[in-house]
Amino acid sequence: MDRDEVSFGQFRLDLRERTLTLDGVPVQLGSRARDLLWVLASAMGEVVSKDELMTRVWPGLVVEENNIQVHISALRKTLDKGKSGQSYVVTVPGRGYRLVGQHSSPTATMGSTDTRPGPALPHKPSIAVLPFLSMSDDPEQQYFADGVVEEIITALSRFSSLFVIARNSSFTYNGRSVDVKQVGRDLGVRYVLEGSVRRDGHRVRITGQLIDASTGAHLWADRFDGELEDIFGVQDRVTASVVGAIAPKLEQAEIKRTKRKPTESLDAYDYFLRGMASFHQWTREANNEALRSFYRAIEFDSDFASAYGMAAWCYAQRKTNGWMIDRQQEIAETARLAGRAAELGKDDAVALSSGGFARARVVGDLAAGAALIDQALALNPNLAQALYCSGFVRCWLGELELALEHLRHVMRLSPIDPLMFMTQSGTALAHFLAGRYD
């Protein structure tokens, strides 16, 4: 059906007239900000690139990129007048912007809010770990806080008795003031963990609070202090506290099995976190920076399996995006890195899945790549990264129903993923190869 209006929070945008109201009262917007909002709202939650915004808002004109940033900032200030405290215009690093929290209706009444049902709650304890605030004086330390959260997500996902939202969906809330109840509805989870990280010299402090998203009630709040050299131990204590609160009957044996110290070198770990922060930006420049960081991590610890695996995946990203320079050299290097990830990472699902995907995608060894990903899934059946990798490799192998099963699981683990189009592409490929063209 035609979409005449889009609402988000207390706001309503008439797509035909391009008029915005807040609880039925007209809101004044500059012409460029209004056009930006119309383009973002018309995309219905999909990411709109900066190039597309320039083309549609400034047609036929050559404009500086900071023009977009100025008008996006003005638009955000206007939308902050809403009562929810939510930031509706979200920056997707390296890709563009998206408008979140909206729904459309041809006959909606003024002042209604977004009441779309989210995913159903799983039949086991479910949790989303939101990005932690970095409390360090140096704003460049945000990568460290993000890395800590990603490690906690991975640790929690190793528990077969828990349902844990994947990193990409959790991180769509980065830098936003959020309504925890809405997060629970958006992601289909019962619990939300939020907190902060302070890195001060050789000390680190992680604070966390666990919230029941259905009621907004705080279940516990605590802080975890330790030496930077014991960062993995501090992260383990956070994970154990969360597990104890939401699934207290889990056996201690299972808790012990989830503990893993990926490297003895703090310098190697620091460069690994920098590499992960760059990798998730999905640009050519960021990919190059990620590779440099992963290689530096390997210099500090030549047995760091995850660093080898993620470096290999950087080469897969290069191939997918047409960024390869010396094809034969990069294929050989990918094979070396993936081989080291497999050799060193027998208990590391991240190393095995990333190395396996690169081996299949770049080297063309589908069987060996699938075998490594299967090892990763045996270690961590809820790791979205491994399921995503498996989905594509299974498509290439012709195992289409298994591909669809794994990709469906990815979509549920990451229901508002900015990179959802990639998982949808894999799903479309599987149906196409199966002859289900409709």
Side-chain angles (χ1 to χ4, degrees):
M1 63 185 173
D2 293 336
R3 287 181 285 111
D4 297 332
E5 295 176 333
V6 170
S7 63
F8 43 101
Q10 292 79 38
F11 290 100
R12 183 169 297 281
L13 176 68
D14 186 313
L15 291 173
R16 297 184 184 276
E17 300 295 331
R18 300 195 186 188
T19 54
L20 181 69
T21 57
L22 172 61
D23 288 336
V25 179
V27 176
Q28 296 300 313
L29 280 175
S31 60
R32 298 298 189 193
R34 183 182 65 239
D35 290 345
L36 282 168
L37 178 59
W38 179 81
V39 173
L40 292 171
S42 298
M44 286 304 292
E46 298 297 321
V47 178
V48 181
S49 69
K50 293 179 182 179
D51 287 343
E52 183 177 352
L53 286 174
M54 287 182 182
T55 299
R56 298 181 67 180
V57 178
W58 289 272
L61 298 178
V62 178
V63 296
E64 297 290 338
E65 185 172 307
N66 63 3
N67 257 343
I68 290 182
Q69 297 170 350
V70 168
H71 290 290
I72 287 287
S73 177
L75 179 58
R76 282 175 170 151
K77 287 180 181 178
T78 298
L79 299 184
D80 282 346
K81 296 175 183 177
K83 299 174 184 176
S84 70
Q86 178 176 353
S87 179
Y88 292 102
V89 179
V90 177
T91 301
V92 181
R95 297 188 55 228
Y97 302 91
R98 62 191 288 256
L99 187 69
V100 299
Q102 79 266 30
H103 71 284
S104 62
S105 172
T107 57
T109 56
M110 286 293 185
S112 65
T113 60
D114 187 352
T115 58
R116 287 180 301 167
L121 287 175
H123 295 297
K124 53 186 176 181
S126 52
I127 185 170
V129 185
L130 299 186
F132 285 12
L133 293 175
S134 173
M135 306 300 291
S136 302
D137 294 333
D138 181 4
E140 295 297 320
Q141 288 295 314
Q142 183 62 49
Y143 78 90
F144 185 81
D146 290 348
V148 167
V149 171
E150 193 159 358
E151 290 284 350
I152 292 172
I153 291 173
T154 300
L156 287 170
S157 70
R158 294 190 190 107
F159 290 93
S160 58
S161 302
L162 301 181
F163 182 93
V164 185
I165 291 295
R167 179 245 187 234
N168 280 5
S169 280
S170 289
F171 272 66
T172 61
Y173 298 97
N174 210 345
R176 294 164 53 190
S177 175
V178 299
D179 176 354
V180 172
K181 291 183 180 179
Q182 186 62 48
V183 171
R185 289 191 293 269
D186 289 344
L187 300 177
V189 294
R190 177 68 182 272
Y191 304 102
V192 171
L193 178 67
E194 56 185 16
S196 64
V197 177
R198 181 183 295 277
R199 179 178 176 178
D200 185 10
H202 293 287
R203 299 284 298 173
V204 63
R205 168 174 291 178
I206 301 175
T207 62
Q209 52 182 354
L210 186 66
I211 303 168
D212 186 326
S214 64
T215 63
H218 287 227
L219 302 179
W220 65 255
D222 206 347
R223 72 184 190 192
F224 307 83
D225 294 314
E227 296 293 325
L228 201 54
E229 289 76 7
D230 187 37
I231 181 62
F232 306 116
V234 178
Q235 290 169 177
D236 284 342
R237 297 207 305 274
V238 176
T239 302
S241 295
V242 171
V243 169
I246 68 177
K249 293 183 179 179
L250 285 181
E251 296 181 3
Q252 287 299 312
E254 185 174 0
I255 293 176
K256 289 179 181 179
R257 280 195 299 272
T258 68
K259 295 185 178 182
R260 180 180 63 85
K261 193 171 186 179
T263 177
E264 297 290 341
S265 169
L266 187 60
D267 288 322
Y269 184 62
D270 191 77
Y271 274 107
F272 179 77
L273 296 187
R274 291 175 186 269
M276 293 299 289
S278 297
F279 178 84
H280 287 299
Q281 294 179 37
W282 292 86
T283 67
R284 185 170 191 165
E285 295 75 16
N287 179 277
N288 291 336
E289 183 59 38
L291 257 180
R292 285 191 289 269
S293 294
F294 292 136
Y295 277 125
R296 287 287 285 156
I298 292 168
E299 287 178 19
F300 281 103
D301 182 358
S302 60
D303 293 334
F304 195 171
S306 290
Y308 285 101
M310 290 307 303
W313 201 350
C314 283
Y315 283 109
Q317 196 180 96
R318 288 168 65 84
K319 178 173 181 177
T320 297
N321 289 283
W323 299 336
M324 296 181 90
I325 298 173
D326 185 336
R327 179 181 174 83
Q328 292 306 314
Q329 186 275 331
E330 293 188 31
I331 290 174
E333 178 63 359
T334 302
R336 184 187 74 85
L337 292 166
R340 288 291 285 161
E343 178 186 352
L344 298 167
K346 299 187 187 305
D347 63 345
D348 186 336
V350 171
L352 293 169
S353 58
S354 52
F357 181 75
R359 184 140 194 174
R361 181 74 179 94
V362 181
V363 183
D365 192 342
L366 298 181
L372 292 179
I373 295 169
D374 284 346
Q375 290 181 47
L377 288 172
L379 291 168
N380 188 339
N382 297 309
L383 183 63
Q385 169 183 315
L387 290 160
Y388 170 84
C389 293
S390 180
F392 273 92
V393 175
R394 300 300 172 186
C395 279
W396 302 332
L397 284 168
E399 300 172 12
L400 305 177
E401 296 310 315
L402 183 57
L404 289 169
E405 177 187 334
H406 286 177
L407 292 170
R408 278 194 296 268
H409 197 176
V410 174
M411 291 182 188
R412 180 58 187 91
L413 287 169
S414 194
I416 57 172
D417 196 329
L419 301 178
M420 178 67 81
F421 69 92
M422 295 168 62
T423 307
Q424 291 169 332
S425 296
T427 302
L429 175 62
H431 283 303
F432 180 84
L433 294 174
R436 295 188 286 265
Y437 304 124
D438 57 332

